[in-house]
Amino acid sequence: MSGSAAPGPGSAPCRFAHYFVVCGTDADSGLEPDELAGENFDQSPLRRTFKSKVLAHYPQNIEWNPFDQDAVNMLCMPKGLSFRTQIDNRDLQFHSFIITREDGSRTYGFVLTFYEEVTSKQICTAMQTLYQMHNAEQYSSVYASSSCSMDSLASSIDEGDATSLAKIQQYNSYDISRDTLYVSKCICLITPLPFMQACKKFLIQLYKAVTSQQPPPLPLESYIHNILYEVPLPPLGRSLKFYGVYEPIVCQRPGPSELPLSDYPLREAFELLGLENLVQVFTCVLLEMQILLYSQDYQRLMTVAEGITTLLFPFQWQHVYVPILPASLLHFLDAPVPYLMGLQSKEGTDRSKLELPQEANLCFVDIDNHFIELPEELPQFPNKLEFIQEISEVLLRFGIPPEGNLHCSESATKLKNLVLNDLVNDKKNGNIPSNTINMYELLKGNETIARLQALAKRTGVTVEKMTITAPVAEKERDVKLQCEEEELRDYKLNVQLREVFANRFTQMFADYESFVIQAAQDMESWLTNREQMQNFDKASFLSDQPEPYLPFLSHFIETQMFATFIDNKIMSQWEEKDAFLRVFDSRIEKIRLYNVRAPALRTSIYQKCSTLKEAAQSIEQRLMKIDHTAIHPHLLDMKIGQGKYEQGFFPKLQSDVLATGPTNNNRWASRSATTQRRKDRLRQHSEHIGLDNDLREKYMQEARSLGKNLRQPKLSDLSPAVIAQTNWKFVEGLLKECRMKVTFFLKHVGRDFMGSRMGEKR
């Protein structure tokens, strides 16, 4: 985060989410063409884009992360508003985005886009008018292109053209009396860390609550208020459970000695590009070339961009980084600097129609078509063949083909992953999975089974589904696991792939500290002469490397990301070490302990990663036992009638209850406050026991009058907070009085009573 001061427990940097945003159409302003989107007005109105607007965002602003309305609107709906009718596809769409601020800090956005029925008669009428104008223009263009007279026009038009024109008008038109018009709308969470899976689950549950026939257990404001103000970031090395509308949601954060957080599934990146292509693109990123990602799907752009940049550890991309480039910013592609940008492809547009700058160092990545164009004379990554082989082994253990799996449908991919997961993780290699299955389906294609099936059919015997019980250990594991099995697999695959990549850099740069030049005596003089000083002995470093590494390393040590890495190393003399650098240096220390600075570190002998199992176990342990649970969503101080909604429409939320959070907005703050109150009461009790009679009587009189003097609030002030505060003061007064009376009774009345009993016995 950009804030340098240590934030308090209730401040924004400690919160899981900073903003909740709603974007869509403004019924008052009507339809405004989005001229910056670069759309062709020859298209039918339903295929055009219109200006979207941030309809609401909560809270209004945060000091640590000021709300950028234009940027958020542009990235939530990069193509503006989209319209559909009842015959069009209106599936949910999820994508994420990233905003990089001037200081280099990042903010992540997670967006769920859906379609709502248009209830504004003004907008429906405007769409009808646009279609009438569009159809008139089509007819006029036909007339203009024809050399025939009006009477002979029908005979001059080819029958096939007339039929196709009629079909276009039928399926790509809008009639206000016949069709239902829908418009896109989105809800978005803006967070300081990329908890993609958790945010996606929360948004989907929120949307389901709106579309469900049954109202949610609480008003939507309760869930949004909870995630904005009462759900904290999980501490380093800990897991956190918080609550959506219907189900709990779990997220985890790596410890200080582990690789940094990365929640984007690398499985998808490898399936989309294939291993060979991904390593080539990865090499281009390391050498800071211009990388342009190209896909129809916004989330694919983010998945590939975030996937590749997270593999750079311990280095970080230092140049222009825009995984989703809005249509209004296409001129960024002409910048003569390194960049990593993502461009959405239009449906039906091929590579040849895309106007790109003719740069020699441009790497073009067509994600949807599994195709890349590489720059000229690209040096190979060191030990590329062995490197690819090691990654392939990891992928195959998780059932992912190294060549990629682009053309699988989503459902087929899920089914394949589940089946392969059982085969890969089952040490007996091929035991039947622990669910109800049809044996004939399992063994379909087996000739012997086919003959038995025919025989059984003739004799009237049927084979029912059979249930195979899971082993006890598996049952216990399923009970303990706090997230879905597929999600856990993605977490484990992510960390193991990242460990393989990080291990390569650890091996290649194990001796980098020996070549760092630290000439300056203090930070001020170093910063002043930074540009003139040589910070790394490049010649000596290269002369110490294996010859096959030189083509790549000679280019890489000239990059900005390597220079920043060395700068961070020098700066660590005077200030806290960069987090990436701290983890990387600790790994080098481990290598030195085990190898005792062996000469093998400076040879081209390939050494595989040895920490895969350990890394996966750390994540699994956090997800097996949840460390922290956030406060449950609860009723807010809302007026009667607020919180209602109409099914199928995301409601206008009550801004007064979402503008600010509670004073103590996390469980740990309230726990510490409760503990402190308990300590204060014990201290007061011990002090009271030691009081003399006069002081004790004085305090007892004060306690008796306390209940009389308590201010009675007006009926209009009776919010839950006021009631709780009033009741607590009253109860404290009663407790104090009771303690005093009990103590007095035990000391005086109790003593007299015991004395009289003793006298009776005598």
Side-chain angles (χ1 to χ4, degrees):
M1 297 302 298
S2 58
S4 56
S11 58
C14 288
R15 299 206 295 251
F16 181 88
H18 287 178
Y19 293 99
F20 180 82
V21 186
V22 183
C23 295
T25 178
D26 185 1
D28 296 332
S29 59
L31 291 182
E32 296 182 65
D34 193 355
E35 298 173 359
L36 295 176
E39 294 292 341
N40 189 343
F41 284 95
D42 290 338
Q43 290 182 319
S44 66
L46 280 178
R47 297 295 172 259
R48 299 175 192 172
T49 58
F50 300 87
K51 286 184 180 179
S52 60
K53 183 180 179 181
V54 174
L55 303 178
H57 68 279
Y58 311 100
Q60 285 300 306
N61 200 50
I62 288 177
E63 179 185 355
W64 310 96
N65 183 12
F67 187 76
D68 189 337
Q69 182 159 309
D70 292 335
V72 171
N73 181 45
M74 193 182 300
L75 291 167
C76 280
M77 295 187 136
K79 289 183 63 178
L81 297 172
S82 298
F83 285 87
R84 299 283 187 272
T85 64
Q86 71 278 2
I87 65 172
D88 295 316
N89 178 27
R90 303 190 307 277
D91 291 341
L92 286 177
Q93 294 178 331
F94 174 83
H95 79 272
S96 52
F97 62 81
I98 188 170
I99 297 177
T100 305
R101 293 191 287 274
E102 293 180 0
D103 63 353
S105 59
R106 292 178 174 182
T107 296
Y108 293 84
F110 302 96
V111 186
L112 187 69
T113 304
F114 50 93
Y115 286 87
E116 281 186 351
E117 182 179 343
V118 178
T119 56
S120 168
K121 191 172 181 181
Q122 176 190 355
I123 292 179
C124 292
T125 304
M127 183 61 70
Q128 172 98 352
T129 304
L130 287 174
Y131 258 104
Q132 291 171 351
M133 295 169 60
H134 177 70
N135 291 338
E137 290 173 3
Q138 277 193 324
Y139 282 121
S140 63
S141 64
V142 172
Y143 294 147
S145 63
S146 175
S147 59
C148 303
S149 65
M150 293 291 291
D151 295 332
S152 60
L153 180 62
S155 60
S156 66
I157 299 178
D158 182 81
E159 185 178 350
D161 293 337
T163 304
S164 60
L165 183 60
K167 286 183 178 180
I168 290 174
Q169 291 174 354
Q170 179 182 356
Y171 294 107
N172 195 15
S173 64
Y174 172 69
D175 186 334
I176 195 171
S177 62
R178 180 194 67 206
D179 297 319
T180 303
L181 189 64
Y182 297 86
V183 65
S184 57
K185 193 174 192 177
C186 75
I187 50 178
C188 169
L189 277 176
I190 294 179
T191 66
L193 293 177
F195 290 109
M196 188 200 75
Q197 301 291 351
C199 290
K200 183 178 181 180
K201 290 179 180 179
F202 179 84
L203 293 173
I204 289 176
Q205 289 189 39
L206 209 60
Y207 174 74
K208 286 182 177 178
V210 173
T211 56
S212 173
Q213 294 183 352
Q214 297 295 327
L218 295 170
L220 296 184
E221 286 86 350
S222 294
Y223 302 101
I224 296 169
H225 181 276
N226 180 251
I227 199 169
L228 285 177
Y229 301 112
E230 297 171 332
V231 177
L233 284 174
L236 291 172
R238 297 289 184 266
S239 53
L240 171 73
K241 178 166 69 175
F242 63 96
Y243 294 87
V245 180
Y246 300 111
E247 297 175 349
I249 299 169
V250 173
C251 60
Q252 61 87 31
R253 194 173 173 188
S257 62
E258 299 176 60
L259 294 176
L261 174 67
S262 175
D263 211 34
Y264 287 82
L266 286 171
R267 168 184 55 80
E268 293 184 14
F270 278 88
E271 286 180 338
L272 289 169
L273 295 184
L275 174 54
E276 175 74 25
N277 284 346
L278 191 139
V279 171
Q280 294 287 64
V281 176
F282 174 71
T283 306
C284 292
V285 174
L286 283 170
L287 299 180
E288 295 185 340
M289 298 179 175
Q290 293 180 333
I291 293 92
L292 180 62
L293 309 177
Y294 193 61
S295 173
Q296 289 188 40
D297 190 297
Y298 292 129
Q299 187 59 15
R300 284 185 174 184
L301 296 173
M302 274 296 293
T303 297
V304 173
E306 282 291 291
I308 290 177
T309 53
T310 198
L311 295 174
L312 296 176
F313 175 89
F315 309 103
Q316 300 176 68
W317 179 258
Q318 300 294 319
H319 299 280
V320 178
Y321 182 65
V322 189
I324 297 177
L325 183 67
S328 58
L329 302 179
L330 288 180
H331 58 278
F332 277 26
L333 296 176
D334 297 325
V337 296
Y339 59 69
L340 201 169
M341 292 194 274
L343 182 64
Q344 193 206 28
S345 59
K346 299 175 185 178
E347 190 173 354
T349 303
D350 57 19
R351 167 71 173 88
S352 60
K353 296 180 181 179
L354 187 63
E355 296 181 6
L356 294 175
Q358 299 298 318
E359 296 287 346
N361 65 341
L362 176 67
C363 173
F364 179 78
V365 184
D366 188 344
I367 298 174
D368 297 340
N369 293 311
H370 209 72
F371 170 76
I372 63 173
E373 289 181 10
L374 294 172
E376 302 171 0
E377 300 179 0
L378 178 69
Q380 296 296 311
F381 190 77
N383 296 112
K384 179 184 172 184
L385 294 179
E386 296 92 336
F387 185 45
I388 287 179
Q389 177 62 33
E390 185 179 8
I391 300 170
S392 297
E393 292 171 3
V394 175
L395 291 173
L396 289 171
R397 280 199 295 271
F398 287 83
I400 298 171
E403 65 274 11
N405 198 18
L406 177 67
H407 301 292
C408 272
S409 66
E410 186 176 357
S411 58
T413 302
K414 287 183 178 179
L415 180 61
K416 174 186 70 66
N417 287 342
L418 290 174
V419 173
L420 288 174
N421 179 49
D422 287 336
L423 294 177
V424 169
N425 293 330
D426 188 357
K427 301 304 180 184
K428 296 180 182 179
N429 192 20
N431 276 353
I432 298 170
S434 56
N435 58 349
T436 302
I437 58 173
N438 188 307
M439 294 301 294
Y440 287 148
E441 288 296 323
L442 180 69
L443 301 173
K444 190 175 181 180
N446 185 290
E447 294 181 5
T448 304
I449 295 299
R451 289 197 297 271
L452 289 173
Q453 183 181 9
L455 178 61
K457 189 175 181 180
R458 288 197 299 272
T459 57
V461 177
T462 58
V463 178
E464 300 294 337
K465 290 183 179 180
M466 60 180 296
T467 302
I468 299 174
T469 307
V472 176
E474 286 188 19
K475 282 185 177 180
E476 292 177 353
R477 185 173 179 275
D478 290 341
V479 171
K480 292 180 181 178
L481 195 60
Q482 301 291 323
C483 68
E484 296 177 4
E485 187 72 26
E486 185 178 0
E487 187 177 343
L488 176 62
R489 287 183 64 250
D490 279 346
Y491 278 132
K492 292 166 70 174
L493 176 61
N494 264 24
V495 73
Q496 291 196 5
L497 288 171
R498 294 174 67 202
E499 286 287 343
V500 172
F501 279 78
N503 179 63
R504 290 311 309 133
F505 290 122
T506 307
Q507 300 291 340
M508 290 164 58
F509 295 96
D511 287 338
Y512 86 96
E513 289 181 88
S514 305
F515 305 96
V516 176
I517 302 173
Q518 302 185 4
Q521 298 299 318
D522 57 83
M523 185 168 66
E524 185 177 351
S525 63
W526 181 80
L527 290 172
T528 303
N529 303 300
R530 166 71 185 86
E531 298 301 325
Q532 292 78 32
M533 296 177 66
Q534 185 180 1
N535 297 323
F536 191 74
D537 189 350
K538 299 175 182 177
S540 298
F541 174 76
L542 290 175
S543 65
D544 202 45
Q545 303 306 311
E547 187 175 350
Y549 291 13
L550 296 181
F552 171 82
L553 288 176
S554 60
H555 286 81
F556 179 68
I557 62 175
E558 299 294 338
T559 61
Q560 185 62 43
M561 71 173 72
F562 184 76
T564 302
F565 175 76
I566 298 301
D567 287 350
N568 288 338
K569 181 63 178 178
I570 296 174
M571 291 283 287
S572 65
Q573 299 175 88
W574 306 297
E575 61 182 28
E576 186 179 357
K577 188 178 286 189
D578 175 75
F580 281 39
L581 183 64
R582 184 180 64 249
V583 176
F584 187 68
D585 283 353
S586 68
R587 291 174 174 232
I588 291 178
E589 286 298 325
K590 286 183 180 179
I591 287 183
R592 288 175 176 170
L593 286 174
Y594 292 129
N595 292 277
V596 196
R597 193 175 163 79
L601 291 176
R602 295 187 296 278
T603 70
S604 58
I605 297 175
Y606 190 87
Q607 297 183 15
K608 286 187 175 183
C609 180
S610 59
T611 58
L612 298 183
K613 186 177 180 181
E614 176 187 344
Q617 284 177 343
S618 298
I619 289 181
E620 189 167 8
Q621 287 170 2
R622 282 195 290 271
L623 294 175
M624 294 277 278
K625 183 180 179 182
I626 302 302
D627 298 300
H628 301 293
T629 301
I631 297 174
H632 285 252
H634 52 85
L635 279 172
L636 303 175
D637 185 16
M638 297 172 66
K639 298 176 183 177
I640 296 175
Q642 289 183 337
K644 292 184 177 180
Y645 70 97
E646 184 179 354
Q647 183 184 350
F649 294 89
F650 197 86
K652 183 178 180 181
L653 301 170
Q654 302 302 318
S655 58
D656 53 339
V657 297
L658 295 177
T660 57
T663 305
N664 287 331
N665 64 341
N666 64 57
R667 191 169 187 170
W668 296 270
S670 62
R671 281 178 178 174
S672 61
T674 304
T675 304
Q676 187 60 42
R677 284 197 298 269
R678 188 182 299 113
K679 289 180 179 178
D680 290 342
R681 288 197 297 270
L682 290 173
R683 178 178 53 79
Q684 291 169 2
H685 178 65
S686 61
E687 290 174 354
H688 172 73
I689 292 176
L691 294 176
D692 57 33
N693 291 336
D694 293 338
L695 284 175
R696 186 184 304 117
E697 184 62 29
K698 177 184 175 183
Y699 287 152
M700 288 177 69
Q701 291 294 334
E702 289 179 357
R704 291 190 186 100
S705 62
L706 182 62
K708 301 177 184 178
N709 297 332
L710 285 175
R711 182 180 69 87
Q712 299 299 318
K714 299 178 182 178
L715 186 62
S716 59
D717 294 337
L718 288 179
S719 67
V722 172
I723 293 172
Q725 184 180 10
T726 304
N727 289 345
W728 175 247
K729 287 183 178 179
F730 182 74
V731 170
E732 273 193 323
L734 291 178
L735 288 173
K736 190 172 183 180
E737 183 178 0
C738 289
R739 284 197 299 269
M740 291 177 178
K741 288 184 176 181
V742 169
T743 304
F744 181 83
F745 176 86
L746 291 176
K747 281 193 172 184
H748 298 281
V749 180
R751 183 180 56 195
D752 296 339
F753 177 78
M754 291 299 295
S756 63
R757 294 289 294 172
M758 293 292 292
E760 290 176 1
K761 288 182 178 180
R762 292 194 188 98

